[in-house]
Amino acid sequence: EEIFFDSVTTGASNDIEKATKLARSMVTRFGMSEEFGLMGLETIDSEYLTARAYMNCADETSAKVDMVVKQMLQDAYKKAKELLGANKDVMHKIAAYLLKKETITGKEFMQLMEEAQKERDEAEAALRARFPEMMGSTPAAAIGTAREEAPAGQDPAEAPKEGQG
């Protein structure tokens, strides 16, 4: 919504709730955070009946867990926005496909993604052919291109310049 409609509604509330629960479990139960490592900070009581969670740590640690979970969610949200923003064209194609067919398989989704990447590659190649002096003119871009073309194990950024040893 934020990327395509420039607004945020309550429609994602269940997704936010589930993401928060998953991130908290990653930190407190599954040992998936650098800050706490493999510590079990939460216990689930009667997992198949009430599934109540109990923290096995001090209030100060629990507050730190909240901060770690918040940062995980913020990082994931930022990355999701970057990915969706960079793939707006594909998202439009997928939406059109869904309007027509109503459902999409993983294979169909990947086919649309691959077609979009192929179109991007072709457009970039056309730009490079038409404007070679403008494409990759920055030192970082030149090094990046050289790294891709360099033999394995050799870093062209550290290689001697022409005329040097």
Side-chain angles (χ1 to χ4, degrees):
E1 292 174 340
E2 187 176 347
I3 293 170
F4 291 94
F5 304 118
D6 201 27
S7 70
V8 178
T9 67
T10 60
S13 63
N14 187 255
D15 295 334
I16 293 169
E17 184 179 328
K18 287 181 179 184
T20 303
K21 185 176 180 179
L22 177 60
R24 180 170 298 285
S25 290
M26 288 171 66
V27 173
T28 61
R29 294 180 53 210
F30 308 136
M32 297 175 135
S33 73
E34 291 180 21
E35 292 81 354
F36 297 105
L38 298 174
M39 287 179 66
L41 301 171
E42 181 179 67
T43 301
I44 304 296
D45 187 38
S46 301
E47 189 166 351
Y48 300 105
L49 297 174
T50 59
R52 290 190 180 143
Y54 298 97
M55 293 296 285
N56 302 331
C57 58
D59 291 341
E60 183 179 301
T61 304
S62 184
K64 288 180 183 176
V65 166
D66 290 340
M67 295 307 296
V68 170
V69 168
K70 180 181 177 184
Q71 189 61 52
M72 286 175 78
L73 292 170
Q74 287 175 335
D75 292 346
Y77 184 70
K78 180 181 175 186
K79 183 169 183 155
K81 280 179 57 176
E82 288 172 3
L83 288 170
L84 291 171
N87 291 288
K88 266 182 145 178
D89 56 333
V90 183
M91 299 306 295
H92 287 293
K93 287 181 181 183
I94 292 169
Y97 185 92
L98 286 169
L99 286 171
K100 189 188 311 182
K101 303 265 185 167
E102 293 189 23
T103 60
I104 188 169
T105 66
K107 185 177 181 179
E108 293 165 334
F109 177 85
M110 291 308 297
Q111 184 177 0
L112 290 171
M113 291 293 292
E114 289 168 5
E115 288 172 6
Q117 186 60 49
K118 184 178 178 184
E119 289 172 9
R120 286 182 192 155
D121 291 346
E122 289 171 356
E124 184 177 331
L127 282 173
R128 286 188 186 280
R130 182 157 180 178
F131 305 105
E133 68 282 353
M134 296 177 71
M135 300 300 288
S137 60
T138 63
I143 290 171
T145 302
R147 278 193 176 124
E148 292 171 6
E149 297 171 357
Q154 180 182 347
D155 188 349
E158 298 173 4
K161 308 285 184 255
E162 288 185 35
Q164 296 178 340

